[in-house]
């Protein structure tokens, strides 16, 4: 209900305030981020009472964290005030405040919480005015203070909070340990506050789409049982001696059982836990958008994810993404890019040139792969030292599927010059053992003077997530970008799917080994294959018969979604046939009957008693939001991330007292 306010007897300021109140304006606390729009809306209304100094009579009340006030003359002081919505400059002068109030304002400690009432005005920027503590969202206006209420004075801070002090390139910037210990101070900065809001908006967008498509959000337990899923688990002791829960690495088994329970379309923002090293894109506890559907095919799930990602990019970045996305098979990705999550923004690709290398002796013991990668017209701008740095970086890595470490003689690079173009441009590195078709190589690679050619000789096949040349490709691309020799469009979004993964991968220690290291091991019960992803993935229908004869040749109904070289999600159609699932666990992965029953008996029962065909996918939500925000680490989009395996804010993990250990039957040794 609106009430008419009598303006008789009011001054100009009071009359203006009355009109503003009738039009929805108020002197209740305003969000700083909304001040510019208020200023624009009220400017015309206030023209009759605008003074020569550009001020109006619109009174506002704002509250937040104050920066260190600075004097600009005998009667003037400036500071910036920040709340969750933005930043505005506060001006205190003796024309609207007493000298005592000005001194009180100047005495404020940075990050103190204050409430300020004043009038909006066009911003004054004297030469000695201070820099804002964050990006200024109200660059055209300021608040000229009438009164101030100190809500909470801040003690001296552990670090400065202005932009210069917190800039990543500042050598005196606080280290990560300090920043995370006082995370709540950093959280006030606009960049981190904005990231958390973007995370919230992305979650809302995803939830909205899934509810539109008939999904049901179901929470699954966080206290589960220990299962062999690859990474180390967090165990939770119980008061029952010798019995432990485990925190789930994913809700994989629960969501499959939900399909048996008739929850046809399930999702949740699942908390997952893995006891592994913390990195820029890895946390011990993380969030994934977890989904499972009944009566679906692979393409159905891929189309759902494409709709979801297109909606997120449109709602948050205002960017239209074209679907369907590009699809590569695992073999295409590995042979062309040397990675199962290729970054296709880099133009250079890998070529298998093995056919141009013929062993000099018919009984040559190995049939290696020869791969080449040409980086066009980079020889003149890329120094030999920079190229050597790329090679040395790759030589430090381990490649268990390709013989372990790389010998320097098997990974080389050559600049193509007028001299080397006629002598094999580096291909002679294998001349002692192989006859080389130099003419065929030259035509195949189409090398030109000014190119740089990388060569690799390795064990044959495609296994794991990357090849030696694949790592070389990524390392070279990063080196070129760091040296400003190539430009990467930050607004280019190369979404793609990788499909047709091998269902099983040779156990890494056995690739090329030919036998186990321990002669006493019963090879009939020792696994020589392991699940490429997890043991619940179904083989492709046309390969199902190979499961019982040549399982290493089976392709999986698995699909990974990749963006700019980062895997942001993966899923599969599941093995819903209980006999097939038991065969995989027992006969291929060589789990004992006791192990199958203890770890997976509940799931096999759910499959036995009527379970529909089903499949699902999980998106790494932290990584997805980091990409949207342009963050270099997922820590930048998590409110309280871990560092070095601990929570520096709370100081956890901690020791517990002897009484608690005794109650849980634990002895520290």
């Amino acid at each position: 209900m609106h009430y008419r306010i009598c303006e008789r007897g009011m001054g100009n300021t009071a009359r203006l305030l009355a009109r503003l109140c009738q039009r929805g304006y108020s002197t209740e606390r305003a969000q700083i981020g909304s001040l510019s729009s208020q200023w624009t809306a009220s400017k015309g209304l206030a023209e009759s009472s605008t003074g020569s100094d550009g001020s109006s009579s619109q009174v506002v009340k704002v509250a937040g964290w104050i920066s260190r006030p600075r004097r600009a003359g005998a009667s003037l002081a400036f500071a910036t005030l920040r709340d969750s919505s933005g930043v505005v400059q506060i001006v205190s002068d003796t024309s609207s405040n007493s000298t005592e109030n000005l001194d009180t304002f100047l005495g404020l400690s940075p990050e103190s919480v204050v409430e300020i009432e004043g009038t909006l005005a066009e911003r004054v920027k004297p030469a000695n005015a201070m820099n804002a503590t964050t990006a200024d969202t109200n660059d055209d206006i300021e608040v000229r203070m009438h009164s101030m209420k100190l809500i909470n004075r801040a003690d001296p801070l552990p670090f400065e909070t202005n932009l210069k002090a917190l800039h990543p390139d500042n050598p005196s910037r606080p280290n990560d340990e300090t920043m995370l210990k006082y995370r709540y101070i950093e959280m006030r900065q606009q960049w981190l506050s904005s990231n958390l809001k973007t995370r919230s908006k992305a979650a809302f967008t995803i939830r909205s789409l899934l509810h539109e498509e008939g999904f049901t959000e179901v929470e699954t337990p966080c206290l589960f049982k220990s299962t062999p899923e690859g990474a180390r688990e967090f165990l939770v002791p119980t008061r029952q001696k010798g019995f432990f829960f485990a925190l789930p690495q994913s809700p994989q088994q629960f969501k499959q059982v939900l399909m048996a329970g008739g929850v046809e379309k399930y999702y949740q923002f699942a908390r997952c836990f893995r006891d592994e090293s913390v990195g820029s894109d890895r946390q011990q506890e993380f969030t994934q958008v977890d989904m499972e559907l009944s009566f679906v095919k692979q393409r159905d799930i891929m189309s759902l994810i494409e709709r979801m990602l297109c909606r997120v990019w449109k709602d948050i970045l205002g960017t239209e993404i074209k679907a369907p996305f590009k699809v590569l098979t695992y073999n295409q990705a590995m042979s062309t890019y040397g990675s199962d999550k290729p970054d296709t923004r880099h133009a250079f690709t890998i070529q298998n040139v093995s056919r141009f290398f013929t062993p000099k002796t018919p009984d040559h013991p190995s049939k290696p792969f020869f791969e080449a990668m040409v980086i066009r017209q980079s020889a003149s701008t890329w120094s030999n030292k920079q190229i050597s740095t790329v090679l040395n970086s790759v030589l430090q890595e381990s490649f268990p599927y390709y013989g372990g470490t790389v010998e320097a003689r098997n990974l080389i690079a050559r600049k193509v010059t007028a001299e080397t173009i006629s002598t094999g441009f580096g291909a002679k590195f294998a001349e002692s053992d192989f006859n080389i078709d130099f003419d065929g190589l030259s035509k195949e690679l189409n090398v030109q003077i000014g190119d740089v050619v990388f060569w690799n000789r390795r064990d044959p096949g495609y296994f794991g997530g990357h090849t030696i040349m694949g790592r070389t490709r990524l390392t070279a691309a990063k080196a070129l970008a760091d040296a400003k020799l190539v430009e990467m469009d930050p607004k280019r979004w190369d979404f793609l799917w990788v499909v047709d993964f091998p269902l099983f991968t040779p156990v890494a220690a056995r690739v090329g080994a030919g036998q186990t290291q321990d002669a006493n091991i019963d090879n009939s019960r020792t696994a020589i294959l392991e699940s490429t992803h997890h043991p619940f993935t179904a083989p492709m229908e046309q390969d199902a018969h190979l499961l019982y004869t040549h399982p290493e040749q089976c392709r999986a109904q698995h699909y990974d979604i990749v963006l700019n070289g980062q895997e942001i999600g993966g899923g599969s159609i599941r093995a819903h046939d209980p006999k097939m699932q038991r065969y995989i666990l027992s006969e291929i992965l060589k789990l004992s009957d006791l192990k199958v029953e203890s770890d997976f008996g509940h799931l096999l029962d759910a499959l036995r008693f009527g379970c529909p065909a089903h499949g699902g996918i999980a998106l790494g939500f932290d990584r997805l939001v980091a990409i949207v925000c342009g963050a270099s680490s997922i820590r930048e989009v998590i409110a309280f991330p871990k560092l070095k395996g601990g929570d520096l804010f709370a100081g956890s993990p901690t020791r517990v007292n002897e009484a608690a250990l005794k109650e849980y039957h634990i002895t520290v040794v």
Side-chain angles (χ1 to χ4, degrees):
M1 185 177 293
H2 297 279
Y3 295 91
R4 181 174 177 79
I5 301 176
C6 179
E7 298 183 4
R8 182 177 297 175
M10 293 183 178
N12 286 339
T13 300
R15 276 196 293 271
L16 178 60
L17 283 174
R19 294 176 198 163
L20 291 175
C21 288
Q22 285 180 313
R23 289 161 173 79
Y25 291 91
S26 170
T27 55
E28 292 301 314
R29 186 177 79 87
Q31 289 282 300
I32 289 175
S34 68
L35 293 181
S36 284
S37 59
Q38 288 190 32
W39 168 256
T40 301
S42 64
K43 205 169 184 181
L45 190 63
E47 280 181 353
S48 59
S49 42
T50 300
S52 59
D53 62 350
S55 65
S56 76
S57 297
Q58 183 177 355
V59 178
V60 295
K61 185 185 291 183
V62 289
W65 291 269
I66 198 81
S67 68
R68 187 187 305 277
R70 296 188 183 181
R71 187 185 291 276
S75 61
L76 194 64
F78 295 85
T80 55
L81 188 71
R82 179 180 66 249
D83 69 6
S84 64
S85 66
V87 181
V88 70
Q89 180 168 270
I90 305 295
V91 180
S92 177
D93 62 62
T94 53
S95 65
S96 56
N97 293 278
S98 65
T99 302
E100 181 181 355
N101 285 343
L102 181 62
D103 291 340
T104 302
F105 181 72
L106 286 167
L108 290 172
S109 57
E111 298 300 317
S112 291
V113 182
V114 297
E115 182 181 82
I116 288 174
E117 189 171 307
T119 55
L120 283 179
E122 292 183 9
R123 183 170 175 179
V124 176
K125 301 177 185 177
N128 60 343
M130 63 176 292
N131 291 327
T133 55
T134 62
D136 198 337
T137 56
N138 290 290
D139 195 51
D140 56 335
I141 59 172
E142 62 190 17
V143 175
R144 298 185 181 176
M145 188 177 78
H146 298 163
S147 62
M148 179 186 73
K149 177 182 177 182
L150 177 60
I151 297 174
N152 197 339
R153 179 181 294 276
D155 285 346
L157 299 170
F159 50 81
E160 291 288 334
T161 56
N162 59 71
L163 274 179
K164 182 179 179 181
L166 296 182
H167 195 278
D169 293 336
N170 184 353
S172 60
R173 183 184 188 274
N175 60 30
D176 289 340
E177 288 81 358
T178 300
M179 297 295 282
L180 290 177
K181 181 178 180 179
Y182 302 100
R183 184 66 162 178
Y184 45 87
I185 297 178
E186 186 183 17
M187 207 176 290
R188 300 169 195 164
Q189 301 301 314
Q190 193 176 27
W191 68 268
L192 183 51
S193 173
S194 175
N195 286 354
L196 295 179
K197 289 177 182 178
T198 297
R199 182 186 180 102
S200 175
K201 186 174 181 180
F204 176 80
T205 296
I206 291 170
R207 275 194 169 96
S208 298
L209 181 137
L210 291 175
H211 278 282
E212 289 170 12
E213 303 219 3
F215 279 74
T216 302
E217 185 171 7
V218 181
E219 296 174 343
T220 54
C222 279
L223 291 176
F224 189 43
K225 66 190 299 183
S226 179
T227 58
E229 290 190 36
R232 286 190 301 271
E233 301 168 311
F234 284 103
L235 297 178
V236 181
T238 70
R239 292 192 298 274
Q240 188 176 0
K241 189 174 182 179
F243 286 80
F244 294 81
F245 289 111
L247 300 181
Q249 298 182 41
S250 76
Q252 181 63 46
Q253 295 185 50
F254 280 116
K255 67 179 182 178
Q256 288 191 242
V257 173
L258 284 172
M259 299 302 102
V263 182
E264 188 171 318
K265 293 182 176 182
Y266 140 90
Y267 87 96
Q268 71 169 315
F269 281 76
R271 299 293 288 168
C272 304
F273 307 86
R274 292 178 185 171
D275 187 5
E276 57 188 6
S277 299
V278 172
S280 62
D281 66 344
R282 200 175 298 274
Q283 287 280 305
Q284 292 172 322
E285 55 178 313
F286 55 95
T287 303
Q288 64 184 35
V289 186
D290 201 51
M291 292 158 277
E292 196 81 5
L293 303 87
S294 296
F295 309 110
V296 290
K297 298 292 186 181
Q298 180 170 305
R299 185 64 245 180
D300 299 325
I301 296 175
M302 292 166 65
S303 296
L304 167 68
I305 298 305
E306 288 170 356
R307 293 194 297 276
M308 179 184 294
L309 294 174
C310 287
R311 175 84 69 90
V312 169
W313 254 248
K314 182 177 181 180
D315 285 2
I316 295 178
L317 298 178
T319 300
E320 295 283 351
I321 301 296
K322 293 182 179 180
F325 300 158
K326 182 178 181 179
V327 178
L328 293 175
T329 67
Y330 172 80
N331 279 346
Q332 286 174 329
M334 292 290 283
S335 61
T336 306
Y337 303 103
S339 172
D340 65 354
K341 47 181 182 293
D343 189 343
T344 54
R345 296 174 299 171
H346 310 309
F348 33 96
T349 57
I350 299 167
Q351 291 173 268
N352 186 332
V353 292
S354 302
R355 66 184 184 278
F356 300 105
F357 294 80
T358 307
K360 289 185 175 180
T361 58
D363 57 346
H364 195 277
S366 66
K367 295 181 180 180
F369 268 20
F370 289 90
E371 292 180 315
M373 178 178 66
V374 181
I375 301 182
R376 306 291 178 188
Q377 298 304 299
S378 58
S380 61
T381 54
W382 214 5
S383 70
N384 290 332
K385 182 179 180 180
Q386 289 171 315
I387 295 173
S388 295
T389 299
V390 170
L391 295 174
N392 290 333
S393 176
V394 179
L395 291 172
Q396 300 304 311
E397 297 188 37
S398 177
F399 299 87
Y401 290 109
Y402 304 103
T405 56
V406 184
E407 295 184 34
R409 65 190 180 96
N410 288 330
L411 180 66
I412 67 169
R414 292 289 185 270
K415 290 183 175 181
V416 181
T417 64
E419 178 182 354
T420 61
I421 197 168
S422 60
T423 57
F425 41 87
K428 284 189 174 183
F429 79 108
E431 197 172 31
S432 60
D433 297 324
F434 292 83
N435 296 311
I436 305 170
D437 179 359
F438 291 111
D439 290 338
L441 273 175
S442 181
K443 292 177 182 177
E444 179 74 9
L445 298 176
N446 190 29
V447 292
Q448 307 290 330
I449 293 174
D451 295 342
V452 174
V453 185
F454 286 84
W455 298 92
N456 176 225
R457 170 183 174 175
R458 65 169 176 85
D459 289 349
Y462 298 111
F463 306 102
H466 53 259
T467 64
I468 298 166
M469 190 61 88
R471 293 297 299 165
T472 305
R473 177 178 180 271
L474 285 181
T475 306
K478 185 178 185 304
L480 288 167
D482 290 345
K484 310 295 185 186
L485 299 179
V486 296
E487 291 186 8
M488 195 68 66
D489 182 0
K491 301 299 183 184
R492 179 174 170 179
W493 309 107
D494 278 14
F495 289 95
L496 62 90
W497 291 99
V498 178
V499 300
D500 295 3
F501 286 83
L503 185 59
F504 304 105
T505 299
V507 175
R510 293 167 166 269
V511 174
Q515 60 182 10
T516 62
Q517 294 180 354
D518 189 345
N520 296 316
I521 291 178
D522 179 3
N523 286 306
S524 67
R525 295 307 303 167
T526 303
I528 60 173
L529 296 174
E530 57 189 357
S531 296
T532 301
H533 293 94
H534 59 62
F536 315 115
T537 302
M540 294 186 68
E541 293 179 4
Q542 58 268 46
D543 291 354
H545 65 285
L546 295 172
L547 193 65
Y548 307 98
T549 56
H550 298 88
E552 73 282 357
Q553 297 178 18
C554 278
R555 292 168 298 166
Q557 293 190 63
H558 183 95
Y559 32 86
D560 279 352
I561 179 67
V562 177
L563 171 59
N564 293 354
Q566 296 191 64
E567 178 194 333
I568 57 176
S572 66
I573 301 300
R574 320 303 185 188
H576 66 276
D577 180 340
K579 293 180 181 178
M580 176 185 288
Q581 183 64 81
R582 183 178 289 274
Y583 183 86
I584 290 172
L585 295 170
S586 178
E587 300 304 322
I588 297 178
L589 302 181
K590 304 297 184 181
L591 300 181
S592 68
D593 290 343
L594 179 62
K595 187 71 171 173
V596 170
E597 286 301 322
S598 63
D599 287 357
F600 306 109
H602 53 281
L603 176 61
L604 291 169
D605 282 346
L607 299 182
R608 286 195 303 121
F609 296 126
C611 183
H614 59 282
I617 193 169
L619 300 181
F621 187 58
D622 306 302
R623 187 176 297 174
L624 178 67
V625 175
I627 292 172
V628 170
C629 292
S632 59
S633 167
I634 63 172
R635 290 200 303 265
E636 298 175 22
V637 298
I638 298 173
F640 297 100
K642 302 287 190 292
L643 186 68
K644 297 180 180 178
D647 183 339
L648 298 179
F649 161 67
S652 65
T654 61
R655 295 183 180 275
V656 297
N657 60 51
E658 287 296 326
L661 292 175
K662 185 176 181 180
E663 185 176 13
Y664 287 100
H665 313 285
I666 295 175
T667 301
V668 178
V669 295

